[in-house]
Amino acid sequence: MKKIMFLLPVLFCIVALTDARGDDFRRKYRNFNWSSMSLSAPSGETALESRGGGSFVSGRTYFLHGKPILGMIKIGIDATWVDLNYNNYPYDFIGENGLQTSLVHQVEYSLHVGPSIALNPVGKLNINAYFRYAPTFSALLTANDGFALSGNYATMFVTGGMVSWGVIGIGAEYLFGNCNYGNLVGNSALLGNFDKSGFRAFITLRLK
């Protein structure tokens, strides 16, 4: 009985896939993200966890072939033209009044490019997975005992996936990379080489 209960949904899926293979591949994506990021120095002396953040991502998949493989799979290249990201981190520092806590505001702009695979097994169902290189400009704003701004180019990578039905869907991705922050304005409390990583969960709009 247990084997039958296991085989029934498997057989149902096989019949559904062979009976109604999809041709509703979606190329454009607009993601509205909630993010949780961390900054850590390689020495381990400084580690910051974001209190909260969000981002907006806009891009398009360029499929490398017209006819789907097995009637339901397409391979493409993702090109993200806009990834505008914000996070803030509680930060302890020594000020005029001793140990104090402030917020570090992080603002980033990224472009992404990388391979992706799209699965449209039936109807309007789309399943996407991707891995992207994401060159990023990252800036940190601090206002401890005065305004200060640090920033630099960051080498980042993004991997994740999404599931959608028609226009609306959900997804999640992992980001990781490195940035060597240099002083731009004022005397920044955060300078030097930092590893960056975190997760983003999002609602996506998938357009043709």
Side-chain angles (χ1 to χ4, degrees), residues 34-192:
W34 170 85
S35 62
S36 177
M37 300 292 295
S38 66
L39 287 173
S40 59
S43 62
E45 295 176 357
T46 304
L48 301 178
E49 299 292 335
S50 68
R51 191 171 66 176
S55 64
F56 171 73
V57 173
S58 176
R60 178 187 175 98
T61 300
Y62 295 88
F63 292 117
L64 301 179
H65 51 95
K67 187 176 180 180
I69 301 170
L70 301 178
M72 57 181 172
I73 301 171
K74 280 192 175 184
I75 298 172
I77 300 295
D78 285 356
T80 298
W81 307 111
V82 177
D83 182 345
L84 187 59
N85 187 51
Y86 168 80
N87 284 277
N88 60 62
Y89 306 81
Y91 175 63
D92 294 329
F93 68 99
I94 303 298
E96 295 179 352
N97 299 318
L99 183 63
Q100 301 177 47
T101 299
S102 183
L103 281 180
V104 177
H105 301 276
Q106 181 186 58
V107 179
E108 297 179 318
Y109 182 85
S110 305
L111 302 173
H112 303 183
V113 64
S116 67
I117 184 169
L119 178 65
N120 176 217
V122 59
K124 297 181 180 181
L125 176 64
N126 273 258
I127 303 170
N128 301 81
Y130 51 85
F131 181 84
R132 305 170 186 156
Y133 166 59
T136 302
F137 178 78
S138 181
L140 298 177
L141 170 65
T142 59
N144 301 337
D145 290 326
F147 176 86
L149 182 67
S150 61
N152 208 343
Y153 163 81
T155 300
M156 299 293 295
F157 297 91
V158 181
T159 184
M162 62 186 83
V163 178
S164 62
W165 181 267
V167 175
I168 193 73
I170 57 174
E173 58 189 18
Y174 176 67
L175 301 84
F176 62 97
N178 179 272
C179 185
N180 189 8
Y181 288 97
N183 193 54
L184 299 178
V185 178
N187 296 315
S188 177
L190 285 180
L191 296 174

Side-chain angles (χ1 to χ4, degrees), residues 3 6 10 15 23 31 62 67 102 107 115 118 153 177 196 204:
K3 291 182 178 180
F6 173 76
V10 174
V15 172
D23 57 359
N31 301 343
Y62 295 88
K67 187 176 180 180
S102 183
V107 179
Y153 163 81
K196 300 161 76 281
T204 183

